[in-house]
Amino acid sequence: MPKFMKSLNIISRCQYAFRAKHSESGINAIHHSLVLAICREPGRSQDELAKDICIDKSGVARALASLETNGFVERKTDPENKRKTLVFPTEKLLEQISSVRSVTADWNRLVSEGISEEEFAVFQSVLFRMEKNARKIIDEQEVLPEK
C-alpha cells in the first residue's frame, strides 16, 4: 500500500498556510473548517461540531471561545438539554462567510489543477471511503483524546 498519509498531511498543512495568507475575513485560518460547519448547519452542539470536523471537544471549545470573543459566533444553552451548548453564526460571521468559502474554493481549484474530471472522481470516491473508514475507527474505539 502506498504511503499516502504523508502527502495528505502536507496538503492539509499547505492549505492552512494558504488560508492564513489569503484570508481577509478576520477569521483565523485554523477556524475555517469550524465556521464552515457552523454556517452549514446553525444550532448544532459543540460536541456535534467536534465530531464533524474531528477535533477534540476541548479544542472546539477553545476555538469557539475565540470566535465568540471576536463576535463571530454565539453560544446558547439548549433549552431541551441544559448540558448542551448550541452554536450559531452571528451577522458578523454571515457577512464574512463568503470570503471564507472563496478562499476554500480557490484552494480546491489550485490544488486540483492538471487533474482530469475522471481522475478526480476516482480520487474523491476513494478518499470518501477512506474518510468513512477513519470515522468508523474513531467512533468504535473512541480514540479522540480529551485535552
Side-chain angles (χ1 to χ4, degrees):
M1 183 67 92
K3 296 179 181 179
F4 60 90
M5 288 305 298
K6 180 179 178 183
S7 296
L8 291 176
N9 284 324
I10 289 170
I11 292 167
S12 179
R13 288 191 296 275
C14 290
Q15 179 186 32
Y16 174 80
F18 182 85
R19 286 174 172 174
K21 184 174 182 177
H22 293 91
S23 182
E24 297 175 7
S25 64
I27 297 170
N28 187 320
I30 201 163
H31 297 143
H32 279 213
S33 295
L34 186 56
V35 299
L36 288 168
I38 292 165
C39 289
R40 185 172 46 249
E41 210 174 319
R44 293 196 312 173
S45 72
Q46 288 184 195
D47 291 352
E48 291 167 332
L49 290 166
K51 187 173 183 177
D52 182 29
I53 61 175
C54 293
I55 296 177
D56 62 85
K57 293 176 188 178
S58 60
V60 167
R62 283 190 304 274
L64 288 173
S66 172
L67 289 168
E68 189 173 38
T69 297
N70 291 306
F72 290 112
V73 299
E74 183 177 13
R75 295 187 281 184
K76 298 178 182 178
T77 301
D78 184 343
E80 296 175 13
N81 181 349
K82 303 290 185 202
R83 294 177 294 169
K84 266 187 173 181
T85 301
L86 307 179
V87 183
F88 297 89
T90 62
E91 282 301 316
K92 182 177 179 180
L93 176 55
L94 294 174
E95 291 169 3
Q96 299 298 319
I97 196 63
S98 63
S99 174
V100 172
R101 287 180 177 140
S102 178
V103 170
T104 299
D106 288 347
W107 172 255
N108 290 341
R109 180 182 46 78
L110 291 167
V111 78
S112 60
E113 276 183 4
I115 300 171
S116 73
E117 287 185 36
E118 296 80 16
E119 290 172 316
F120 193 77
V122 169
F123 172 72
Q124 193 166 16
S125 172
V126 170
L127 201 55
F128 285 159
R129 283 185 282 170
M130 292 174 76
E131 178 186 347
K132 183 178 175 182
N133 291 343
R135 287 181 183 276
K136 182 179 176 186
I137 292 166
I138 295 296
D139 289 344
E140 289 175 355
Q141 298 179 7
E142 298 183 30
V143 296
L144 280 180
E146 284 300 316
K147 292 186 180 180

